[in-house]
């Protein structure tokens, strides 16, 4: 799908190119969403460049993600998508700056793009009179989205921390908590990876003479760099907190299990002596002195009680229960 944003427009529109289609002269943003090869070739012919394939976008080398070729600058960044779903993931998004126009290539629907278009419609299209302005606006939206994700993660981790240390300990609850901690740890790790790729892109963009041409663009890039650095530190601290809570939860589960094992161990030790007494007096020997005594039964019962009380007093003195 091809979407176009015209200069001073307030929204991008979908287009269906036909035979002899020509790219409008006032186009500032070409958004290729899950493009077909025919759509890629059409844009390549219109702008005289070569677009990266989906496989090229997935390369992890910096030289394959940030480079200039001919009259176009290629920048690829990892964007987190599906953070509200059960299985969030990172998806590569490529920005191509060429002739005051921006081309974005994506095979997912990150929420940041919707937020940017909503801001564009609210504030007016005059904010995006060139491809560089759209590029910086999209980066700003991506950074804001990562910030929202980390804020949600921080809130959830705080709630889980209170649940772990303040509520009654039950293994079933801890199993649920472990699942939630694992999910938010995965989201935080993906957000941090996205921020790292953003940081690399911003460093490259800040020194490129083809992107930050004006002082205003340079100031916006510096501001984005500071925001990304701050969010990266926050993600690192949050990841450490989640790791601590994971360790604490496992520790509390071990304490609970040890308490259960300790209870049964003490119970076994307490009832072992009376079991021995009962076993002795239950033997069917013909000649046993206690069988002929009138107080033989009270003696046996008394020995059993003493065998129970003495271990209990000993365990209590040791503080074992």
């Amino acid at each position: 799908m091809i979407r176009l944003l015209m200069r001073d427009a307030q929204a991008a529109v979908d287009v269906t190119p036909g035979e002899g289609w020509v790219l409008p002269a006032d186009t500032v943003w070409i958004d290729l969403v899950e493009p077909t090869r025919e759509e890629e070739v059409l844009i390549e012919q219109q702008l005289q460049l070569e677009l990266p394939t989906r496989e090229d976008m997935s390369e992890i080398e910096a030289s394959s993600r940030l480079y200039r070729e001919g009259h176009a600058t290629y920048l690829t960044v990892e964007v987190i998508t599906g953070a509200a779903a059960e299985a969030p993931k990172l998806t590569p998004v490529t920005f191509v700056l060429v002739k005051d126009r921006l081309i974005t290539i994506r095979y997912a629907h990150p929420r940041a793009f919707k937020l940017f278009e909503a801001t564009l419609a609210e504030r007016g299209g005059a904010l995006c009179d060139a491809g560089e302005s759209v590029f910086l606006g999209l980066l700003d939206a991506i950074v804001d989205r990562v910030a929202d994700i980390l804020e949600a993660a921080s809130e959830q981790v705080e709630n889980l921390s209170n649940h772990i240390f303040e509520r009654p300990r039950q293994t079933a609850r801890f199993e649920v908590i472990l699942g939630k901690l694992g999910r938010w740890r995965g989201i935080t790790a993906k957000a941090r990876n996205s921020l790292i790729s953003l940081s690399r892109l911003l460093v490259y963009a800040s020194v490129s003479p083809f992107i930050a041409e004006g002082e205003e663009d340079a100031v916006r890039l510096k501001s984005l760099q500071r925001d990304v650095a701050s969010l990266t530190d926050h993600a690192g601290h949050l990841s450490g907190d989640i790791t601590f809570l994971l360790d604490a939860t496992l520790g509390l589960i071990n304490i609970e299990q040890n308490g259960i094992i300790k209870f049964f161990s003490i119970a076994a030790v307490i009832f072992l002596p009376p079991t021995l007494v009962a076993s002795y007096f239950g033997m069917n020997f013909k000649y046993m002195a206690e069988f002929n005594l009138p107080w033989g039964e009270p003696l046996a019962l008394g020995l059993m009680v003493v065998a129970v009380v003495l271990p209990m007093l000993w365990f209590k003195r040791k503080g074992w229960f």
Side-chain angles (χ1 to χ4, degrees):
M1 181 174 65
I2 300 178
R3 307 177 71 245
L4 301 181
L5 176 68
M6 310 305 176
R7 184 174 287 106
D8 298 333
Q10 293 184 325
V13 294
D14 299 343
V15 297
T16 305
E19 185 177 353
W21 179 81
V22 177
L23 184 69
D26 60 343
T27 302
V28 294
W29 178 25
I30 305 167
D31 187 20
L32 300 179
V33 184
E34 299 181 5
T36 63
R37 183 55 190 158
E38 291 75 15
E39 291 172 338
E40 292 177 344
V41 169
L42 180 62
I43 298 301
E44 289 175 346
Q45 291 174 349
Q46 293 284 324
L47 297 178
Q48 298 299 308
L49 52 74
E50 184 177 351
L51 296 176
T53 64
R54 190 169 188 175
E55 291 73 20
D56 295 334
M57 294 168 59
S58 300
E59 296 289 341
I60 62 175
E61 301 92 340
S63 59
S64 300
R65 291 188 166 221
L66 309 168
Y67 61 94
R68 184 169 178 82
E69 187 176 279
H71 57 285
T73 303
Y74 299 81
L75 309 162
T76 300
V77 67
E78 295 282 348
V79 179
I80 188 169
T81 182
E86 289 297 324
K89 60 181 181 180
L90 289 174
T91 181
V93 175
T94 295
F95 301 91
V96 183
L97 287 163
V98 54
K99 298 179 181 178
D100 292 331
R101 289 174 176 151
L102 172 68
I103 305 171
T104 54
I105 309 170
R106 55 191 175 104
Y107 293 88
H109 301 271
R111 185 171 176 79
F113 280 73
K114 296 180 180 179
L115 295 175
F116 169 72
E117 293 195 40
T119 302
L120 186 65
E122 179 182 349
R123 298 184 181 180
L127 293 175
C128 298
D129 55 354
E132 291 79 5
S133 300
V134 180
F135 170 66
L136 293 175
L138 282 170
L139 288 182
D140 198 13
I142 292 172
V143 172
D144 287 344
R145 179 56 182 157
V146 175
D148 292 340
I149 292 172
L150 290 177
E151 287 175 5
S154 297
E155 183 179 351
Q156 291 297 322
V157 169
E158 182 67 24
N159 292 337
L160 290 172
S161 176
N162 295 334
H163 193 91
I164 291 170
F165 294 110
E166 296 180 6
R167 298 190 179 185
R169 301 171 186 172
Q170 295 182 11
T171 304
R173 279 206 184 107
F174 284 147
E175 291 176 355
V176 174
I177 289 173
L178 283 173
K180 291 181 178 180
L181 285 174
R183 178 176 181 273
W184 286 109
R185 187 176 187 277
I187 291 176
T188 302
K190 288 179 174 61
R192 192 166 185 268
N193 289 338
S194 178
L195 289 168
I196 291 173
S197 68
L198 277 168
S199 178
R200 292 172 179 167
L201 182 149
L202 290 169
V203 170
Y204 181 88
S206 64
V207 299
S208 174
F210 305 101
I211 300 176
E213 296 182 356
E215 183 178 351
E216 183 179 350
D217 290 345
V219 171
R220 291 184 68 182
L221 283 173
K222 288 293 183 183
S223 177
L224 286 171
Q225 282 182 291
R226 288 193 296 269
D227 291 343
V228 168
S230 175
L231 290 174
T232 303
D233 290 340
H234 180 68
H237 289 303
L238 184 59
S239 180
D241 291 341
I242 294 175
T243 300
F244 166 74
L245 291 177
L246 283 170
D247 293 340
T249 302
L250 293 175
L252 290 173
I253 291 175
N254 288 334
I255 291 174
E256 185 175 87
Q257 292 176 341
N258 290 339
I260 295 172
I261 294 173
K262 181 179 178 181
F263 170 79
F264 284 108
S265 299
I266 291 175
V269 172
I270 287 175
F271 289 104
L272 180 60
T275 302
L276 180 62
V277 174
S279 299
Y280 170 73
F281 283 99
M283 289 186 290
N284 295 319
F285 290 121
K286 182 176 182 180
Y287 299 103
M288 293 185 69
E290 292 81 1
F291 284 168
N292 297 323
L293 297 176
W295 37 268
E297 182 181 1
L299 173 63
L301 293 176
L303 287 174
M304 292 182 188
V305 171
V306 171
V308 171
V309 172
L310 287 180
M312 290 182 65
L313 292 176
W314 173 258
F315 292 147
K316 188 172 181 63
R317 182 179 178 183
K318 291 291 186 180
W320 292 353
F321 73 95

